[in-house]
Amino acid sequence: MTTTSNLTVSSPNIKYTDDYIFSQYEYQETLVDTVDNKLVAKPYSTSLSIRTDRRVGKVGVMLVGWGGNNGSTFTAAVIANREKLTWNTKDGEMDSNWYGSITQASTVRLGIDERGMDVYVAMSQLLPMVDPNDLVIDGWDISPMNLADAMVRAKVIDYDLQQKLRKKMQTMKPRPAIYDPDFIAANQADRALNLIRGTRHEQYLQIRADIKDFRDKNNLDKVIVLWTANTERFCEVTPGVHDTAENLQKALQQNVSEVSPSTIFAMAAVDEGQCKAHGSLIPECLKPVSIVSYNHLGNNDGKNLSAPKQFRSKEITKSNVVDDMVEANRLLYSEGEKPDHVVVIKYVPYVGDSKRAMDEYTSKILLHGTNTIAVHNTCEDSLLATPLILDLLLLAELFTRVSFRRDESEEWSPMHAVLSSLAYLLKAPLVPAGAPVVNALFKQRANIENLLRACLSLPPLHHLQLEHKVPFLMKELRSGAMFESPPKKQKLSHQNGDH
């Protein structure tokens, strides 16, 4: 039930057992203080033990909005790749693939070989991950349509492939879901025929029962619940309702109207002990002053977003992506200053799942000149989203098997429940309270790669390439001496600042 790997790390800082990979890792950062209006930087280093469970087990996924474009496309893609299906189009025979998935179709730099050339491996080869072919799929939808008919309705999958998938997918039918017209657009009412009735607490209990039923019937070790339903309006976060787990449970019991369907699904997943996932190019040193994005799409997502409250929710999430860019450079932006950021989304039924996006980035350059970049993008929306759904599932599952401690006197501690390391795959990533939100794609991708490397006691990628720049290191590489020297064992002591 795992992807196999022919990668072995030879180091005194790593230990392999049948069940675990144990890594000794030196985590380093630079601490910055302000003393007498001067910045003082000092290195920080602490030794960590990282344990990665190699036992993946049997994993199931439950999609909220299973019968939508993304849910039906994801199911079709898993089956097509599992069955190694091929199909004919006007361009010839096509085969199944996972293009667009960082776990299945991207590589990461591992290191250098004897010639000093970079060596790359598939991301999925670094640590034991779920094989997509082994995923068991289920889910909920407000529409009772079986997955084969939902696939036809979505108009995403090629016709010949649809015919090869129909037999398996027509037996798949979504479980009843929660429908609250206050949270999604009124234009979705015609689909709302497959519903969980009752109070919010009764709906929560039913979702928990569904998860348990799915887990038990399929003998699953783990279930991941992933939201791929319509965009909800923004929830009014209310003190005494949403601020603690206890208050949220109380609000659920009292049927408080501001407890959204997505919150109910999340609470049910957490209380069943399962994992829940809810799902721009800016040049360096220019000063973006205007970012305008015009989008039109014709799928059901576009229809739902044609309602003002649902559009406002999407507008907020899109607009926040520049915030950390502004905060990171006060040479360009004064306090309170930020670029104009306008987002327009229009529903155009004709274009279907083929989304159009026209983005214009205007920046100030030297001596207050301007530079404008205009981008036109046409894409099949669900075929872009589906590989991200797969990556969310696989990486979320992997990170539940990673734990940390400083030394043997401490208990193993899992990663924080809010998996902010998945930010690369999300438009509006959540972070633990008080943590900075990172929207920069390079940082987000590097976070995933370096976290996987840490689990193998490998240093973070730095791109210095000093072995090609410093003469004595160049000589050491070319003579082979670099490969002959044994790796050093890391200290287990805890070090802070100057100590």
Side-chain angles (χ1 to χ4, degrees):
M1 288 295 176
T2 67
T3 54
T4 58
S5 173
N6 56 6
L7 169 64
T8 300
V9 176
S10 175
S11 167
N13 301 310
I14 193 164
K15 176 184 177 183
Y16 293 91
T17 70
D18 290 342
D19 295 337
Y20 297 103
I21 301 172
F22 294 95
S23 162
Q24 283 301 140
Y25 184 73
E26 198 71 17
Y27 178 69
Q28 298 178 326
E29 185 51 279
T30 302
L31 307 181
V32 182
D33 290 325
T34 302
V35 180
D36 298 329
N37 293 321
K38 295 181 179 179
L39 295 179
V40 178
K42 61 181 180 180
Y44 167 90
S45 180
T46 185
S47 295
L48 299 174
S49 295
I50 306 176
R51 184 183 70 178
T52 304
D53 196 330
R54 306 177 76 176
R55 300 164 295 181
V56 176
K58 188 176 182 182
V59 178
V61 54
M62 299 191 80
L63 301 175
V64 186
W66 191 17
N69 283 30
N70 289 340
S72 59
T73 303
F74 174 78
T75 306
V78 170
I79 296 173
N81 279 280
R82 179 188 296 152
E83 304 282 331
K84 296 182 172 58
L85 296 181
T86 60
W87 64 97
N88 293 311
T89 71
K90 64 181 181 180
D91 297 317
E93 186 178 76
M94 300 294 163
D95 57 3
S96 304
N97 62 54
W98 276 116
Y99 294 165
S101 163
I102 63 168
T103 59
Q104 306 302 303
S106 79
T107 59
V108 295
R109 182 181 178 275
L110 182 62
I112 58 173
D113 63 15
E114 293 89 343
R115 299 169 298 148
M117 304 301 290
D118 287 342
V119 176
Y120 292 87
V121 296
M123 181 181 285
S124 61
Q125 296 299 299
L126 287 178
L127 290 171
M129 292 189 190
V130 178
D131 187 330
N133 292 339
D134 293 333
L135 288 171
V136 184
I137 308 173
D138 204 314
W140 304 267
D141 202 283
I142 61 173
S143 168
M145 188 176 288
N146 69 62
L147 268 290
D149 291 341
M151 172 179 60
V152 173
R153 178 179 61 189
K155 299 179 181 178
V156 174
I157 304 297
D158 284 332
Y159 178 79
D160 191 40
L161 179 55
Q162 286 185 30
Q163 303 313 303
K164 296 187 176 186
L165 292 166
R166 168 162 285 279
K167 184 176 180 180
K168 286 186 178 294
M169 291 181 65
Q170 67 184 0
T171 64
M172 299 177 171
K173 185 176 179 180
R175 298 168 187 260
I178 302 172
Y179 172 67
D180 188 338
D182 184 40
F183 279 91
I184 64 171
N187 59 30
Q188 300 299 305
D190 59 340
R191 289 197 180 201
L193 305 172
N194 190 42
L195 310 180
I196 302 174
R197 307 289 181 180
T199 66
R200 281 168 170 74
H201 187 253
E202 289 169 340
Q203 292 170 335
Y204 155 83
L205 292 176
Q206 182 59 55
I207 297 300
R208 287 196 62 175
D210 288 342
I211 296 171
K212 185 177 187 305
D213 175 70
F214 174 55
R215 182 181 61 227
D216 293 348
K217 283 185 176 178
N218 293 280
N219 195 28
L220 300 173
D221 298 295
K222 192 175 298 180
V223 175
I224 300 175
V225 177
L226 190 142
W227 180 274
T228 182
N230 282 317
T231 301
E232 295 178 329
R233 68 162 174 81
F234 250 62
C235 181
E236 297 294 335
V237 179
T238 308
V241 175
H242 304 93
D243 48 357
T244 68
E246 292 76 14
N247 285 339
L248 203 50
Q249 283 286 355
K250 183 178 177 181
L252 197 66
Q253 297 272 2
Q254 295 174 346
N255 203 34
V256 174
S257 62
E258 208 55 27
V259 178
S260 67
S262 60
T263 301
I264 298 173
F265 276 100
M267 292 174 68
V270 169
D271 291 341
E272 278 299 312
Q274 308 306 322
C275 184
K276 168 76 166 60
H278 199 105
S280 56
L281 300 175
I282 306 295
E284 284 291 328
C285 302
L286 303 184
K287 180 182 179 180
V289 292
S290 173
I291 302 172
V292 181
S293 177
Y294 176 87
N295 307 265
H296 59 270
L297 62 161
N299 56 22
N300 195 53
D301 185 33
K303 184 178 180 181
N304 180 64
L305 291 174
S306 65
K309 288 183 178 180
Q310 282 66 38
F311 166 71
R312 178 58 181 157
S313 178
K314 182 73 74 171
E315 183 181 37
I316 292 171
T317 58
K318 281 179 172 284
S319 297
N320 288 343
V321 299
V322 299
D323 289 351
D324 60 331
M325 174 196 72
V326 172
E327 290 297 323
N329 196 333
R330 287 304 177 190
L331 297 176
L332 295 178
Y333 298 96
S334 59
E335 193 68 37
E337 183 186 11
K338 63 189 302 184
D340 292 336
H341 195 167
V342 178
V343 178
V344 179
I345 300 176
K346 294 296 182 182
Y347 177 48
V348 183
Y350 172 76
V351 303
D353 203 63
S354 183
K355 175 184 177 181
R356 270 70 159 176
M358 287 145 279
D359 301 299
E360 182 184 88
Y361 303 91
T362 301
S363 302
K364 288 286 187 181
I365 56 175
L366 182 69
L367 300 178
H368 295 282
T370 58
N371 173 72
T372 298
I373 300 174
V375 180
H376 182 279
N377 179 42
T378 300
C379 64
E380 293 172 286
D381 206 31
S382 297
L383 295 180
L384 283 178
T386 291
L388 301 183
I389 291 174
L390 179 73
D391 292 333
L392 272 172
L393 296 171
L394 270 56
L395 290 173
E397 191 282 328
L398 169 61
F399 292 154
T400 64
R401 291 183 280 113
V402 177
S403 51
F404 298 78
R405 70 182 183 187
R406 292 189 191 277
D407 54 53
E408 294 182 359
S409 68
E410 299 180 356
E411 296 293 327
W412 288 103
S413 172
M415 296 180 69
H416 193 280
V418 179
L419 289 173
S420 55
S421 292
L422 300 176
Y424 184 69
L425 305 166
L426 300 165
K427 189 175 296 172
L430 287 177
V431 298
V437 178
V438 176
N439 287 298
L441 288 173
F442 178 82
K443 289 183 180 180
Q444 292 173 341
R445 172 70 185 241
N447 178 273
I448 293 175
E449 293 185 10
N450 288 330
L451 181 54
L452 299 182
R453 292 176 66 86
C455 293
L456 294 169
S457 193
L458 296 174
L461 295 170
H462 49 65
H463 307 293
L464 285 174
Q465 291 190 316
L466 294 182
E467 64 277 2
H468 296 295
K469 299 176 175 67
V470 179
F472 65 83
L473 290 178
M474 295 168 67
K475 181 179 179 180
E476 189 176 318
L477 169 67
R478 292 168 187 173
S479 69
M482 184 175 288
F483 278 77
E484 294 171 3
S485 58
K488 297 179 180 179
K489 184 171 179 63
Q490 294 178 356
K491 298 179 181 178
L492 298 181
S493 60
H494 177 203
Q495 299 176 350
N496 288 320
D498 320 66
H499 302 291

